[in-house]
Amino acid sequence: MTLKIMLDAGHGPNTPGKRSPDGSLREFHFNSRVADVMRAELEKYEGVTVYFAHEQLRDVPLKERTDRANKLGVDVYVSLHANAGGGTGIETFVHPKSSAKSREVAKAIQAALIKATGMVDRGVKTADFHVLRETDMPAVLIEHGFMDNAADLPKLKDDAFRVLCAKTNVKALTQVYGLKRKGAELVENNDVAGHWAEQSIKKAIANGVMSGYPDGTFGVNNPMTRAQFVAVLDKLGLLDRGTK
Ligand SMILES: [Zn+2]
């Protein structure tokens, strides 16, 4: 299957107001980092094309964002934000007249984020936001915590939290849309079938820890370089401890 996804990092780097009260965080910096990690993660899946609604140097007007999504005919629109206005936790919005698919995506992302982050569950809500109303496809808007909350702000500024949110959003999307990891099909008709490590190899490929070769083999007896070894450690999440 193919899936065109538009990621919309809300606002721009210099949008007035959209920052923490102490000025230490600009909302766009959080939103765009989550978008960058989500794109990198999504591109590990077959048939996925990722578009950005935002740009790094200007605040793209909302109409321009949704016009482009409609023109490209993307399959799903995901708007990324950090909240403000008094409160704590995570909430995901759909339009009051949203499609069932929008609500399915929103519920999956909201539940996954709460499970992964342990933050307060503010639930799936409805709002007449431009990006939800003017998009012709399923659309959700995620508020990943409050910039004006003392507990949420340090998280929003923490790169590990941004990466966690991004990976969690992607995991939920891959489940809703049944996306397959690239290379996941390589385990058929190759040197893995019947091998003593077959099950482990299949798990490694399915989880994106290692991949096979384009010819369909895994290379069960090939040596591993030091560079490949640290890449595997990184994919297992073992290198992010204490490096914030
Ligand atoms: Zn925002």
Side-chain angles (χ1 to χ4, degrees):
M1 79 167 282
T2 61
L3 189 74
K4 291 195 260 185
I5 299 180
M6 184 167 275
L7 300 178
D8 165 36
H11 320 293
N14 297 309
T15 309
K18 298 295 180 182
R19 54 201 71 192
S20 60
D22 64 3
S24 64
L25 172 69
R26 294 181 185 209
E27 185 188 335
F28 182 74
H29 290 165
F30 173 83
N31 301 341
S32 70
R33 173 64 173 149
V34 173
D36 284 345
V37 176
M38 282 185 71
R39 175 160 70 180
E41 286 297 307
L42 283 163
E43 286 176 346
K44 293 176 184 172
Y45 290 82
E46 284 175 30
V48 175
T49 308
V50 179
Y51 301 94
F52 279 176
H54 57 286
E55 293 176 12
Q56 285 303 317
L57 299 178
R58 70 180 179 120
D59 186 342
V60 179
L62 294 176
K63 185 176 183 313
E64 195 177 321
R65 299 185 193 219
T66 53
D67 282 353
R68 188 154 163 265
N70 294 337
K71 198 173 168 191
L72 286 166
V74 303
D75 299 298
V76 58
Y77 189 100
V78 180
S79 190
L80 306 163
H81 288 259
N83 223 332
T88 181
I90 295 173
E91 58 196 13
T92 304
F93 288 92
V94 295
H95 193 263
K97 294 176 184 166
S98 73
S99 62
K101 197 71 180 176
S102 296
R103 291 191 294 277
E104 184 188 350
V105 171
K107 278 181 194 166
I109 287 175
Q110 177 69 19
L113 280 172
I114 297 309
K115 194 175 170 199
T117 66
M119 288 175 72
V120 172
D121 185 1
R122 300 172 64 89
V124 172
K125 300 181 175 179
T126 58
D128 187 29
F129 294 143
H130 176 99
V131 297
L132 302 178
R133 184 182 63 245
E134 301 297 333
T135 37
D136 298 338
M137 68 291 304
V140 300
L141 185 147
I142 311 161
E143 297 277 9
H144 303 81
F146 281 71
M147 293 186 290
D148 54 358
N149 178 273
D152 291 8
L153 180 60
K155 292 187 174 124
L156 293 165
K157 289 163 70 174
D158 178 359
D159 197 57
F161 178 78
R162 296 171 178 188
V163 171
L164 178 65
C165 289
K167 289 187 172 181
T168 302
N169 293 342
V170 167
K171 199 172 172 192
L173 286 166
T174 63
Q175 284 166 357
V176 170
Y177 287 97
L179 300 178
K180 269 174 61 183
R181 277 269 192 180
K182 282 178 184 169
E185 83 289 3
L186 295 180
V187 291
E188 304 304 329
N189 306 316
N190 62 13
D191 57 343
V192 176
H195 191 275
W196 62 265
E198 179 178 355
Q199 293 310 316
S200 301
I201 293 168
K202 284 182 173 174
K203 280 192 234 171
I205 291 174
N207 290 307
V209 177
M210 293 183 78
S211 56
Y213 294 105
D215 69 357
T217 64
F218 183 73
V220 287
N221 293 317
N222 287 10
M224 190 171 187
T225 66
R226 287 165 60 81
Q228 288 167 333
F229 180 65
V230 293
V232 167
L233 293 180
D234 199 23
K235 283 172 184 165
L236 291 170
L238 297 174
L239 303 184
D240 294 321
R241 296 174 187 173
T243 56
K244 287 167 189 174

